[in-house]
Amino acid sequence: MKIEQHIIEELIAQAQQDAPIESCGYLLGIPSPTTGVDGGGLVTENYPMENVDHSPEHFSFAPKQQFAALRYAREKGLKILANWHSHPASPSRPSVEDVRLAVDPTIRYAILSLLDGKPTLNSFKILNGEVVDKEEHFTAAG
């Protein structure tokens, strides 16, 4: 999955603004023409969502916002390529809870870490309770 740089900057700004609460949202875009959504694609939009848990350690989407995101994506001819959230004070890797809650095998799960003030964005394919793939998208210099 490729993520346009301006989207990465938007995710970092959103996560920094929401910290110490986890930020979350969907990454929308165009699936890969050869492999479809399962193969990633090009992320062209962040669809920010409210973390209704208001927690620094976990997040939940409001169902109304999830339906609105799906409707928006369909209207724009886009697909949900990934679910993303931030880890304000831990690394960019899925927690046990993240893996347990990753139930959609057709999307990637992106995690933006703000640990030590050095944003790092990775995405993961999680199938049947196991991380089967990791893609590195961004690590701040320094």
Side-chain angles (χ1 to χ4, degrees):
M1 177 173 75
K2 293 192 63 73
I3 305 173
E4 294 182 349
Q5 185 61 34
H6 72 96
I7 301 297
I8 293 171
E9 291 167 8
E10 192 178 311
L11 299 180
I12 292 168
Q14 180 182 335
Q16 288 173 333
Q17 179 180 329
D18 291 348
I21 302 302
E22 287 191 0
S23 280
C24 56
Y26 282 134
L27 298 178
L28 310 177
I30 304 158
S32 168
T34 54
T35 58
V37 176
D38 287 353
L42 175 64
V43 174
T44 58
E45 289 192 44
N46 169 35
Y47 192 97
M49 307 244 271
E50 178 188 0
N51 175 355
V52 296
D53 291 342
H54 302 284
S55 169
E57 296 172 357
H58 54 88
F59 74 100
S60 293
F61 296 143
K64 271 183 155 176
Q65 285 187 318
Q66 286 180 281
F67 288 121
L70 187 57
R71 202 169 34 253
Y72 175 85
R74 284 184 181 153
E75 288 169 1
K76 299 286 186 180
L78 303 172
K79 298 286 184 195
I80 295 172
L81 300 180
N83 160 329
W84 83 273
H85 71 282
S86 65
H87 281 181
S90 60
S92 177
R93 64 173 176 246
S95 67
V96 170
E97 180 179 18
D98 293 336
V99 171
R100 183 176 60 80
L101 295 174
V103 296
D104 187 342
T106 68
I107 65 171
R108 296 189 68 81
Y109 293 85
I111 299 173
L112 173 64
S113 170
L114 298 178
L115 185 63
D116 299 327
K118 184 177 175 184
T120 302
L121 177 64
N122 297 313
S123 71
F124 305 87
K125 190 68 158 173
I126 303 173
L127 300 173
N128 302 316
E130 298 226 5
V131 176
V132 297
D133 177 59
K134 173 185 174 183
E135 290 181 350
E136 296 177 6
H137 299 285
F138 177 81
T139 300

